[in-house]
Amino acid sequence: MSHELRTPLNGILGYAQILRRDKNLEQRQADGIAVIQRSGEHLLAIINDILDMAKIEVGKVDLYLSDVLLERFIYFIAGTIRLKATEKGLAFSCDMAPELPAAVRVDEKRLRQVLLNLLSNAIKFTETGSVRLRVDWAPPTRLRFEVQDTGIGIEEAHRETIFRPFEQVSDARHRVGGMGLGLAISRQLVRLMGGEIHVESRRGAGSAFWFELDVPAVAREAADVPLEWTASGYHGPRKTILVVDDVAANRAVVVDMLAPLGFEMAEAGNGLEALQKAEALRPSLILMDVVMPGMDGLEATRRLREMPEFARLPIVAVSAGASGSDAAKSLAAGANAMLSKPVDLTVLLSQIAVLLDLEWSDDTPHEAHGPAIRIAGSFTDNFIVPPHEEMEALHYLARLGDMRAIVQHTEHLTELDERYRPFADHLCQLAKHYRSQAIVSFVEQYRGAHGAD
Ligand code: ADP
């Protein structure tokens, strides 16, 4: 089922991302594309929830543990939630116990999913007052999260029902944008991680959701996030990339993502054609759809690997299923890496960079994009620097190369305090020109001012 649901969204989100990069758009068109992208992402979130629930019900969810810098992880969540809270006129606070370990081994994605769900609910069901996130640590391994709000509360009789799929117990006014799956998924994920979600609440007097997990603390160095890039081209000789997919629209999305960066693009509609094109064109890398009629991606990959000339050719398997078994099968067939649909441009670029050992150039030609951007230094003394946790969130986004989130975050900074405007404007300008490296340096320069690591 997931294939049929995600493939059309691949086209919608892929082209929305491409079109948003066009610098010549009128405001009305840019706003329209932003709506397409937001709606597509919302639909994708709903589909993912339904698929998640289905997977959980048949016991098919695995945890992927990695070493995560705890402070940065929480600051990122706090940054996202503060934005939503401010929009709704609510206060938000994030309290972290001073003795928290620098890094822990957890399933970062799943833990973030649970916390964002509890915090989004807290905001959704609170009209006035505040939302608070507390993080505590009891050595040697006990990590505790608590989300409190001053919202509408939950009646005693409903305190168990809310964890059931598709149950919504509040009035219709609060049901918009939700389907009643969040808590059901969160409860199951926390159980999978070895904990249990508890709730304390009184109708009209707010709620508190909390859970505890046993997680090993690990050394800080192990957990640093790899850099990802947003580029306008690459250094070195021109490279050919072969895109294999039976759906022409899917091929077109990837071609339109990569051709502007200077890649020579070639296409094939099935495995057999992929083998012929590979022999004729000798591409530097192949993006290989897994499921195709005729010869599928797994078979084509296996056959390529049998030919000595392609033994070392980088092959990225692209799958709409996004399941662990697809990844395992593709790697067993000989693929070097795995990408899930809808293809995320940043992830795609970082994989290509690693596999082709490429160095991106992210200097946008000045003549094409207006005046050159002033780099921090000439007027740095005038900046009023936002607080520590904002800087941490910005640093995280900058390293991720997520320009869109950075632009959103700069808007939030000026709402927080008008005095941050010069700082925010400068950052926004860099982000709009995809100057990812300049942003990382800029944020790092000021991050130090707060004594961060
Ligand atoms: P959704 O938010 O999509 O409705 P959830 O599973 O996350 O689904 O929540 C189920 C129901 O539990 C909500 O519809 C609401 O009635 C209730 N609920 C969840 N969190 C809160 C909260 N913080 N305050 C009051 N009610 C809540």
Side-chain angles (χ1 to χ4, degrees):
M1 169 165 86
S2 66
H3 185 267
E4 282 72 15
L5 290 173
R6 286 192 234 239
T7 299
L9 267 178
N10 193 37
I12 296 172
L13 282 173
Y15 272 107
Q17 287 182 71
I18 291 164
L19 291 173
R20 284 194 82 172
R21 292 188 129 205
D22 186 341
K23 308 279 187 316
N24 303 317
L25 291 179
E26 284 173 19
Q27 192 57 41
R28 207 168 55 87
Q29 295 168 316
D31 291 346
I33 293 167
V35 172
I36 295 176
Q37 184 164 355
R38 268 205 309 277
S39 312
E41 279 165 0
H42 187 200
L43 195 56
L44 184 61
I46 292 176
I47 289 173
N48 283 340
D49 267 0
I50 294 174
L51 295 175
D52 254 1
M53 199 61 226
K55 260 166 60 180
I56 287 171
E57 276 174 353
V58 293
K60 276 209 165 157
V61 171
D62 297 319
L63 292 180
Y64 294 97
L65 300 181
S66 67
D67 298 346
V68 173
L69 289 175
L70 193 53
E71 223 183 52
R72 186 180 297 166
F73 171 77
I74 295 165
Y75 280 141
F76 175 71
I77 291 172
T80 313
I81 290 300
R82 169 156 297 139
L83 206 70
K84 290 194 187 184
T86 314
E87 270 169 19
K88 208 176 166 184
L90 300 171
F92 173 73
S93 65
C94 174
D95 304 321
M96 286 191 267
E99 66 278 7
L100 285 187
V104 286
R105 182 159 305 156
V106 290
D107 186 323
E108 180 177 14
K109 190 176 136 208
R110 295 307 192 174
L111 184 56
R112 186 188 305 123
Q113 183 179 354
V114 171
L115 288 170
L116 284 176
N117 178 246
L118 295 180
L119 286 161
S120 306
N121 276 349
I123 289 176
K124 184 152 82 172
F125 299 107
T126 303
E127 293 310 322
T128 56
S130 60
V131 169
R132 183 174 148 194
L133 171 65
R134 253 204 83 77
V135 189
D136 284 297
W137 175 255
T141 57
R142 202 106 184 111
L143 185 60
R144 182 181 195 275
F145 293 96
E146 175 161 343
V147 174
Q148 280 180 1
D149 65 59
T150 58
I152 61 172
I154 303 155
E155 277 174 37
E156 171 97 56
H158 290 145
R159 245 165 267 161
E160 185 49 37
T161 340
I162 54 171
F163 289 101
R164 292 192 201 131
F166 303 109
E167 289 285 351
Q168 297 181 304
V169 300
S170 47
D171 56 43
R173 186 164 56 110
H174 286 104
R175 286 185 207 163
V176 280
M179 290 214 312
L181 278 177
L183 281 180
I185 293 172
S186 296
R187 167 183 264 184
Q188 298 303 337
L189 289 178
V190 169
R191 282 185 178 165
L192 207 62
M193 294 188 265
E196 185 69 54
I197 300 185
H198 301 273
V199 54
E200 274 169 37
S201 178
R202 260 191 317 131
R203 184 141 183 83
S207 312
F209 288 80
W210 58 272
F211 61 94
E212 293 185 343
L213 303 174
D214 273 318
V215 297
V218 291
R220 162 182 295 274
E221 300 72 49
D224 227 345
V225 195
L227 270 179
E228 287 180 9
W229 307 85
T230 305
S232 60
Y234 55 91
H235 297 292
R238 206 165 151 85
K239 310 226 178 237
T240 300
I241 294 183
L242 175 61
V243 186
V244 189
D245 196 311
D246 56 313
V247 180
N250 286 346
R251 297 196 301 269
V253 168
V254 177
V255 168
D256 283 348
M257 282 177 169
L258 297 178
L261 295 171
F263 292 103
E264 193 79 61
M265 300 305 294
E267 300 180 37
N270 59 50
L272 204 57
E273 207 186 321
L275 298 182
Q276 290 158 356
K277 290 260 165 93
E279 288 205 87
L281 302 171
R282 298 299 167 117
S284 309
L285 182 142
I286 298 185
L287 293 166
M288 180 82 82
D289 189 22
V290 175
V291 183
M292 289 182 290
M295 190 192 292
D296 69 7
L298 298 177
E299 182 59 25
T301 304
R302 259 181 241 117
R303 296 217 190 168
L304 283 167
R305 287 299 182 233
E306 281 164 10
M307 301 183 222
E309 64 270 39
F310 297 124
R312 302 175 65 83
L313 170 70
I315 301 178
V316 180
V318 185
S319 156
S323 72
S325 69
D326 263 357
K329 276 189 226 150
S330 307
L331 296 179
N336 302 70
M338 175 85 197
L339 198 63
S340 58
K341 290 182 190 175
V343 172
D344 182 296
L345 183 55
T346 315
V347 176
L348 174 65
L349 292 189
S350 70
Q351 283 193 347
I352 291 178
V354 171
L355 291 170
L356 291 182
D357 202 11
L358 276 190
E359 202 181 318
W360 298 117
S361 57
D362 76 342
D363 293 327
T364 321
H366 296 153
E367 60 276 19
H369 304 292
I373 301 160
R374 283 205 291 166
I375 298 301
S378 52
F379 46 69
T380 50
D381 294 345
N382 300 332
F383 286 136
I384 301 206
V385 182
H388 177 71
E389 67 177 74
E390 299 297 335
M391 296 300 285
E392 285 300 309
L394 281 170
H395 190 247
Y396 181 92
L397 296 175
R399 288 176 61 109
L400 222 58
D402 190 340
M403 299 297 139
R404 195 160 55 90
I406 289 174
V407 172
Q408 277 174 359
H409 211 91
T410 58
E411 287 160 13
H412 152 70
L413 286 180
T414 51
E415 279 164 15
L416 211 62
D417 190 328
E418 195 45 43
R419 288 174 306 159
Y420 302 141
R421 187 173 288 282
F423 182 92
D425 281 352
H426 182 71
L427 209 55
C428 188
Q429 204 189 10
L430 291 174
K432 284 186 170 160
H433 289 77
Y434 295 94
R435 299 288 300 265
S436 56
Q437 263 314 284
I439 293 174
V440 172
S441 322
F442 181 63
V443 172
E444 280 181 350
Q445 182 183 348
Y446 287 99
R447 212 165 144 242
H450 293 276
D453 53 273

